[in-house]
Amino acid sequence: MAYQALYRVYRSQRFQDIVGQWAITQTLRNAIATHKTSHAYLFTGPRGTGKTSAAKIFAKAINCPHQKDGEPCNECEICRSITEGRLNDVIEIDAASNNGVDEIRELRDKVKYAPTQAQYKVYIIDEVHMLSTGAFNALLKTLEEPPKSVIFILATTEPHKIPATIISRTQRFDFKKIATPEIVAHEKEILNELQIPFDEEALFVIAKAAEGGMRDALSILDQGISFGDGEVTLEAALQVTGSLSQEKLAAYLTAVLNHQVEASLEILEDILQEGKEPQRFIENVMFYLRDLLMYQQAPQLLTAQTTQVSPEFIALAQKVQPDTVYASLKVLSATQQDLRFTNQGRIYLEVTTVKLAAVATAPSITAGAAVNPSKAIVEAAPTSDTPALQQLSQEVSRLQQQVSQLTEQLHNGASSDHSIRPPAVKRSGHSNQQKPQEIPRQRVFATLEKATRENLQGIRHHWEDLLQLLQASQRAMLRACEPVAASNEALVVVFDYEILSKRAAADTDLHQAIKAGVDRLLHFAPELVAIPREAWPNLRQSFLQERKLKNANGGSQQAVPEANEEGPLAQLTEETGEEDLVPEVAKDTFVETAENFFGKEFIEITND
Ligand SMILES: [Zn+2]
């Protein structure tokens, strides 16, 4: 016998076989059993959730002479011919395959004829949102004066594209995504029946990858079976879904959270070498972080839902601060959005990795690994036992709730905010374990003294070429920076994150590589001067002031007129337009504390 895909073999033949849509199937069964059916239905919902299966079962049940409790017998001639798609009275139209004008016109012509074999003529129009306007109009006419003994079932994944005039003439059922445990249970049922051995974790991996669609789950399961040579192993499931093993994820996140940029980039490289999809990778990391949070708050919940609580996982859960997780999720969510519009997935993942490592170094309020945020913040607050302190603690609980809601939204991909800058910039007044970078003020000034616009433009122009000459990890580090001034001897580069600036400043290999690279491209070999971005406006400002002062005093230095197109002044003043120094507004201490704790992007101040 020729091989048949699982999802075909195991297509539901009765309402009670449809997984995860109990409320809908029960309502339809009742309607059929009590002869209270409508003449038009609209089935909406994500792909693979049972819409067309339900439509076909409906067509059978309403026509089956042996119908019982609203279920078809599946054995009589009528049932069998519908299952096999050869009953003339059940007409399936796929609106996606053409836009349907002809088919709908034909439908209009023929709809008035009574069914020939069955009691009801049933039109099933799949992906109905694809119909052209003309076809919709034709359909509407038919729905306005429905002939007796005709039932329409319209199915769609995109109900918002269907004219309201159509929707209002149908009875609507919204099919939901199928929950992971329900998919797993169904997978198990099938494998047991087929006597195929399986690894339970593999079934979870497949169910998660199917994102609530049973048809997809069964297709992946099919691939898993052939990949695993008649057995469904975790490895096979990971391979066919492009998911990452928990070990790899743990290794990646451990490196990231220990801000080992190099190591995390290497692991990333490894993962990408195996051909993982960037989208899938980001998704896996997000799920893993979500699980870490859940484990911290309610370990029992997590163990009930998934299976994987490895020692590495527990170690991470004990170590990671919730605010780091929230900030990381935000970064990942933005990357997820960006990935949709690019085929440069690798670059985005490299930058994201560097960003995540920076998030992990953002100041946390306590030195100890306090897992409970409100506890952490209270411990860090001044030790005066005042009502204000209690109020603060209450406020934090409230914020905590908001944050978890936000995280939920992030998971649903609701965020469209692209301007992510994790709170790497330290504010004064807060303890800071990491020593800040020492700003090489004199070197910057010396560079500016001799900087020319040609040099800078040359480097900006060849920046991408320069990056290509570097190693992957060096390249990734330089994705978060920008060249701002260049002389023949030195190149000033501003980094978005102080941690990276500090690392770049100390990285002699990087200095060598840049020298060699620029030399090759532009025939001069500047020394790298790395500074954090937030230091740049002040440096620029003081340099300009010093120069003006010198000129005004008629010093021995050659005068550089402000209008000199070639001089450093022109180059700098030209840039002052993009000045982004925001005056530090005095803030409510609480808000500031909260911002430091949760990350600014999570705090919304409302006056209520
Ligand atoms: Zn039957």
Side-chain angles (χ1 to χ4, degrees):
M1 195 181 107
Y3 179 77
Q4 272 214 302
L6 280 184
Y7 79 87
R8 287 189 191 282
V9 181
Y10 287 91
R11 179 163 219 162
S12 314
Q13 302 299 345
R14 290 174 305 171
F15 283 122
Q16 67 177 65
D17 295 339
I18 294 181
V19 177
Q21 315 292 354
W22 191 83
I24 293 175
T25 51
Q26 194 59 24
T27 309
L28 292 173
R29 278 177 67 179
N30 284 341
I32 291 165
T34 57
H35 305 286
K36 284 178 182 152
T37 52
S38 157
H39 73 274
Y41 292 93
L42 176 62
F43 292 175
T44 73
R47 48 185 260 120
T49 50
K51 300 183 297 295
T52 32
S53 293
K56 283 192 88 165
I57 296 167
F58 186 99
K60 282 191 276 190
I62 201 165
N63 283 316
C64 174
H66 314 291
Q67 173 262 118
K68 197 168 171 238
D69 299 332
E71 294 278 21
C73 77
N74 279 315
E75 278 163 18
C76 69
E77 177 52 26
I78 294 269
C79 281
R80 276 168 38 211
S81 58
I82 294 175
T83 302
E84 289 160 23
R86 56 182 169 80
L87 188 79
N88 290 332
D89 294 328
V90 174
I91 301 105
E92 289 182 76
I93 298 170
D94 181 7
S97 60
N98 53 62
N99 49 17
V101 188
D102 290 342
E103 275 177 311
I104 299 289
R105 198 172 291 141
E106 197 187 326
L107 178 157
R108 271 185 68 192
D109 295 341
K110 291 189 177 166
V111 78
K112 50 185 178 285
Y113 301 121
T116 50
Q117 294 149 287
Q119 201 184 344
Y120 287 92
K121 247 183 174 170
V122 182
Y123 287 92
I124 299 170
I125 309 178
D126 204 7
E127 299 299 351
V128 67
H129 63 274
M130 302 282 279
L131 288 182
S132 64
T133 314
F136 266 129
N137 286 336
L139 180 62
L140 186 59
K141 288 247 162 58
T142 316
L143 290 180
E144 276 167 346
E145 293 161 30
K148 254 185 92 187
S149 310
V150 172
I151 291 171
F152 289 92
I153 303 177
L154 316 178
T156 181
T157 47
E158 299 183 57
H160 55 278
K161 290 187 180 161
I162 298 178
T165 43
I166 302 262
I167 293 183
S168 68
R169 291 181 191 279
T170 65
Q171 195 178 338
R172 175 171 171 170
F173 290 95
D174 294 330
F175 287 61
K176 311 185 295 273
K177 282 188 174 185
I178 305 165
T180 305
E182 285 183 285
I183 294 181
V184 171
H186 194 55
E187 287 178 295
K188 260 191 217 173
E189 221 172 277
I190 291 173
L191 292 171
N192 283 334
E193 196 183 313
L194 296 172
Q195 298 187 317
I196 292 175
F198 60 87
D199 189 336
E200 183 134 359
E201 282 177 13
L203 305 191
F204 270 98
V205 169
I206 292 171
K208 275 190 174 175
E211 292 176 347
M214 189 61 85
R215 190 171 57 220
D216 284 351
L218 296 190
S219 296
I220 301 170
L221 185 61
D222 239 340
Q223 294 171 44
I225 294 170
S226 31
F227 192 93
D229 219 5
E231 191 179 337
V232 186
T233 60
L234 177 59
E235 201 208 329
L238 291 170
Q239 279 292 340
V240 296
T241 58
S243 292
L244 286 171
S245 76
Q246 301 282 305
E247 275 164 65
K248 278 243 167 73
L249 275 174
Y252 174 77
L253 279 170
T254 306
V256 162
L257 294 171
N258 286 326
H259 31 97
Q260 297 164 322
V261 178
E262 300 275 328
S264 20
L265 286 168
E266 269 164 32
I267 300 171
L268 173 69
E269 183 68 30
D270 228 41
I271 290 165
L272 294 176
Q273 288 282 327
E274 285 173 22
K276 300 300 175 208
E277 286 292 316
Q279 276 287 10
R280 187 68 81 195
F281 171 73
I282 293 290
E283 220 169 76
N284 289 160
V285 178
M286 287 177 90
F287 271 120
Y288 199 94
L289 285 170
R290 195 272 316 260
D291 287 352
L292 284 177
L293 264 189
M294 274 178 66
Y295 186 79
Q296 289 180 345
Q297 303 298 328
Q300 71 286 0
L301 233 168
L302 189 68
T303 18
Q305 208 187 52
T306 56
T307 44
Q308 323 223 337
V309 181
S310 65
E312 294 83 16
F313 178 88
I314 294 171
L316 270 173
Q318 282 168 346
K319 194 175 167 220
V320 68
Q321 299 277 333
D323 56 336
T324 304
V325 177
Y326 299 136
S328 304
L329 283 172
K330 179 109 182 171
V331 171
L332 289 162
S333 167
T335 309
Q336 214 174 21
Q337 305 277 335
D338 291 339
L339 282 175
R340 282 199 241 153
F341 308 107
T342 179
N343 45 19
Q344 301 285 335
R346 173 180 292 264
I347 292 171
Y348 276 90
L349 293 190
E350 287 171 355
V351 175
T352 300
T353 301
V354 174
K355 279 186 184 172
L356 289 177
V359 166
T361 60
S364 49
I365 279 200
T366 51
V371 152
N372 183 332
S374 52
K375 193 168 150 242
I377 205 165
V378 169
E379 277 173 358
T383 48
S384 54
D385 207 0
T386 58
L389 189 61
Q390 286 169 12
Q391 199 193 339
L392 182 71
S393 159
Q394 282 167 8
E395 277 291 285
V396 168
S397 309
R398 190 178 60 80
L399 276 171
Q400 227 180 315
Q401 274 180 2
Q402 284 183 3
V403 169
S404 51
Q405 281 165 10
L406 267 172
T407 319
E408 188 65 42
Q409 284 171 19
L410 283 177
H411 268 293
N412 299 334
S415 165
S416 58
D417 182 7
H418 285 225
S419 59
I420 305 305
R421 192 159 297 175
V425 184
K426 279 121 191 160
R427 279 156 200 261
S428 54
H430 286 281
S431 70
N432 172 14
Q433 282 111 19
Q434 294 257 323
K435 258 174 79 186
Q437 185 194 356
E438 222 167 280
I439 307 294
R441 198 183 163 89
Q442 288 317 315
R443 289 188 62 203
V444 173
F445 280 19
T447 310
L448 291 178
E449 226 24 274
K450 295 180 179 170
T452 71
R453 186 183 295 201
E454 279 91 359
N455 283 349
L456 182 62
Q457 279 176 345
I459 284 180
R460 282 189 169 160
H461 185 73
H462 287 285
W463 189 245
E464 199 55 40
D465 306 324
L466 176 63
L467 293 188
Q468 292 312 316
L469 294 175
L470 305 176
Q471 287 168 18
S473 59
Q474 296 173 331
R475 188 159 61 231
M477 186 147 61
L478 293 185
R479 289 282 176 201
C481 76
E482 185 196 347
V484 292
S487 69
N488 282 330
E489 287 85 41
L491 163 66
V492 181
V493 166
V494 297
F495 282 80
D496 291 347
Y497 307 101
E498 195 205 20
I499 172 86
L500 289 183
S501 165
K502 203 170 144 187
R503 188 168 293 138
D507 188 338
T508 46
D509 286 350
L510 179 68
H511 290 222
Q512 268 330 78
I514 286 181
K515 255 189 183 173
V518 177
D519 194 18
R520 200 168 136 190
L521 296 165
L522 295 154
H523 309 297
F524 65 101
E527 195 70 43
L528 176 72
V529 181
I531 57 171
R533 190 183 284 280
E534 69 265 17
W536 173 237
N538 277 331
L539 282 171
R540 187 169 60 193
Q541 210 59 34
S542 351
F543 175 77
L544 285 171
Q545 272 163 8
E546 259 180 42
R547 288 296 300 235
K548 273 189 186 153
L549 218 63
K550 273 186 193 164
N551 290 339
N553 294 342
S556 57
Q557 296 263 330
Q558 77 199 80
V560 181
E562 255 178 76
N564 185 347
E565 280 289 300
E566 302 305 313
L569 273 185
Q571 185 185 326
L572 289 171
T573 40
E574 173 197 5
E575 281 189 356
T576 41
E578 29 178 280
E579 190 72 26
D580 53 357
L581 268 182
V582 180
E584 192 66 35
V585 185
K587 276 193 190 132
D588 186 47
T589 332
F590 168 69
V591 172
E592 205 179 329
T593 315
E595 278 182 6
N596 273 289
F597 185 65
F598 291 104
K600 197 169 184 174
E601 54 271 24
F602 286 108
I603 308 296
E604 190 187 339
I605 303 164
T606 51
N607 298 316
D608 48 13

